[in-house]
Amino acid sequence: MENTVKLELTKEWDKTFPKSEKVDHRKVTFTNRYGITLAADLYEPKEAKGKLAAIAVCGPFGAVKEQAAGLYARTMAERGFITMAFDPSFTGESGGAPRYMASPDINTEDFQAAVDFLSAQENIDPDRIGIIGICGWGGLALNVAALDTRIKATVASTMYDMSRVNANGYFDAEDSADARYAKKEAMNAQRMIDYKNGSYALGGGVVDPLPENAPFYVADYHNYYKTERGYHKRSLNSNGGWNVIGCMSFMNQPILKYSNEIRGAVLIMHGEKAHSCYFSRDAYAAMVKDNPHTDNKELLIIPDAVHTDLYDGGGKDAIPFDKLEQFFSENMR
């Protein structure tokens, strides 16, 4: 399938993490079934022989492949996997217009298109494909795992359920018909403003400067996206954020409805002290309920870790890469 759009890809190394001498890196593109061309970084172990297992990585939600996804991909490539970190449709170096939109359907398809690409490579075993989704892409990874039977192993790291947080608010504090109606009213009013202006208003990324009374989770995000630790010029969260109506369709399109029909292996991992840990605990419980395939499902709670510690380790090696290597190796034989 030929790409329909030629993307302008950055040639220099502009990641938030260093290169690895153990890994070869190159830019690639592929196209999803909606005709949107996606940009990705492909990482291959040096001197690898034969057909290898492969992992597609995406997230966090509103981040780019030069941030956490790329770190995961580079590190897993050091451990013998061919990996690919990609920018979702409408963001980063990937195609799709208008910019800064999100979609439960199109973003699920982005992951499936990544599996298409990896499965067709001569040095990859198509029967050994896995995925890693970080933050909001953790929930989307579970949605993909429930749909794509080619995926043998799935990791959801520090996950958000984007349907739940959009419909119910943080900690389900806005879980009422009236609260949802008010949000929908506001977004539909914004649609008319955008239509008349001929452009989409941005919702704003992570707040900066950080207010003194900011909730802990806002400070956590600021510490990653707005500092040298994780800032990137193409990251929505580091800059102007999604369009105000960019995530609207998540409100009434639950993405985890069939998670308890996932047969492939799943590891859900989350920091014990993360504000978002309830998403993973509840998603795991729903995934294993009435599911006859529970022997290959696991919930891993990482002591003392907060949400963004699983983006880059948080300076304390919080990402359990040994565990990830073991999980993928055992479940993609």
Side-chain angles (χ1 to χ4, degrees), residues 47 133 153 175 185 228 260 295 298:
E47 300 178 3
D175 185 12
E185 227 179 6
E228 290 184 3
N260 68 340
D295 290 347
E298 182 177 355

mmCIF file of all heavy atoms in Angstrom, residues 47 133 153 175 185 228 260 295 298:
data_model
loop_
_atom_site.group_PDB
_atom_site.id
_atom_site.type_symbol
_atom_site.label_atom_id
_atom_site.label_comp_id
_atom_site.label_asym_id
_atom_site.label_seq_id
_atom_site.Cartn_x
_atom_site.Cartn_y
_atom_site.Cartn_z
ATOM 1 N N GLU A 47 23.413 -5.929 14.486
ATOM 2 C CA GLU A 47 23.891 -7.288 14.197
ATOM 3 C C GLU A 47 22.830 -8.338 14.498
ATOM 4 O O GLU A 47 23.160 -9.496 14.807
ATOM 5 C CB GLU A 47 25.178 -7.576 14.980
ATOM 6 C CG GLU A 47 26.309 -6.613 14.647
ATOM 7 C CD GLU A 47 27.564 -6.875 15.461
ATOM 8 O OE1 GLU A 47 27.566 -7.849 16.236
ATOM 9 O OE2 GLU A 47 28.518 -6.113 15.317
ATOM 10 N N GLY A 133 1.231 0.662 25.014
ATOM 11 C CA GLY A 133 0.525 1.934 25.040
ATOM 12 C C GLY A 133 0.763 2.620 26.368
ATOM 13 O O GLY A 133 0.656 1.995 27.429
ATOM 14 N N ALA A 153 0.914 -9.901 22.541
ATOM 15 C CA ALA A 153 1.184 -9.404 23.884
ATOM 16 C C ALA A 153 1.009 -7.896 23.916
ATOM 17 O O ALA A 153 1.452 -7.197 23.010
ATOM 18 C CB ALA A 153 2.592 -9.785 24.319
ATOM 19 N N ASP A 175 -19.482 12.458 37.117
ATOM 20 C CA ASP A 175 -20.225 11.323 36.567
ATOM 21 C C ASP A 175 -21.719 11.495 36.813
ATOM 22 O O ASP A 175 -22.314 10.859 37.687
ATOM 23 C CB ASP A 175 -19.730 10.016 37.193
ATOM 24 C CG ASP A 175 -20.396 8.794 36.575
ATOM 25 O OD1 ASP A 175 -21.060 8.946 35.526
ATOM 26 O OD2 ASP A 175 -20.251 7.695 37.134
ATOM 27 N N GLU A 185 -22.840 20.642 25.927
ATOM 28 C CA GLU A 185 -23.374 21.947 25.521
ATOM 29 C C GLU A 185 -22.240 22.918 25.210
ATOM 30 O O GLU A 185 -22.261 23.618 24.191
ATOM 31 C CB GLU A 185 -24.243 22.508 26.660
ATOM 32 C CG GLU A 185 -25.574 23.046 26.208
ATOM 33 C CD GLU A 185 -26.410 23.571 27.366
ATOM 34 O OE1 GLU A 185 -25.925 23.634 28.505
ATOM 35 O OE2 GLU A 185 -27.565 23.922 27.098
ATOM 36 N N GLU A 228 13.147 20.503 31.019
ATOM 37 C CA GLU A 228 14.100 19.819 30.136
ATOM 38 C C GLU A 228 13.925 18.312 30.177
ATOM 39 O O GLU A 228 14.306 17.610 29.241
ATOM 40 C CB GLU A 228 15.540 20.189 30.520
ATOM 41 C CG GLU A 228 15.914 21.614 30.193
ATOM 42 C CD GLU A 228 17.373 21.896 30.490
ATOM 43 O OE1 GLU A 228 18.092 20.949 30.891
ATOM 44 O OE2 GLU A 228 17.802 23.047 30.319
ATOM 45 N N ASN A 260 -12.780 -7.843 28.197
ATOM 46 C CA ASN A 260 -12.796 -9.171 28.818
ATOM 47 C C ASN A 260 -12.886 -10.296 27.796
ATOM 48 O O ASN A 260 -13.048 -11.460 28.158
ATOM 49 C CB ASN A 260 -13.922 -9.284 29.846
ATOM 50 C CG ASN A 260 -15.297 -9.265 29.221
ATOM 51 O OD1 ASN A 260 -15.460 -8.808 28.088
ATOM 52 N ND2 ASN A 260 -16.289 -9.745 29.947
ATOM 53 N N ASP A 295 -5.006 -16.582 32.545
ATOM 54 C CA ASP A 295 -3.684 -17.045 32.964
ATOM 55 C C ASP A 295 -2.564 -16.138 32.462
ATOM 56 O O ASP A 295 -1.477 -16.094 33.055
ATOM 57 C CB ASP A 295 -3.429 -18.480 32.469
ATOM 58 C CG ASP A 295 -4.296 -19.500 33.200
ATOM 59 O OD1 ASP A 295 -4.884 -19.124 34.230
ATOM 60 O OD2 ASP A 295 -4.392 -20.647 32.731
ATOM 61 N N GLU A 298 -1.995 -9.793 33.823
ATOM 62 C CA GLU A 298 -1.303 -9.407 35.062
ATOM 63 C C GLU A 298 -1.456 -7.911 35.311
ATOM 64 O O GLU A 298 -1.379 -7.095 34.392
ATOM 65 C CB GLU A 298 0.181 -9.762 34.972
ATOM 66 C CG GLU A 298 0.971 -9.452 36.233
ATOM 67 C CD GLU A 298 2.424 -9.884 36.162
ATOM 68 O OE1 GLU A 298 2.810 -10.525 35.167
ATOM 69 O OE2 GLU A 298 3.174 -9.561 37.106
#
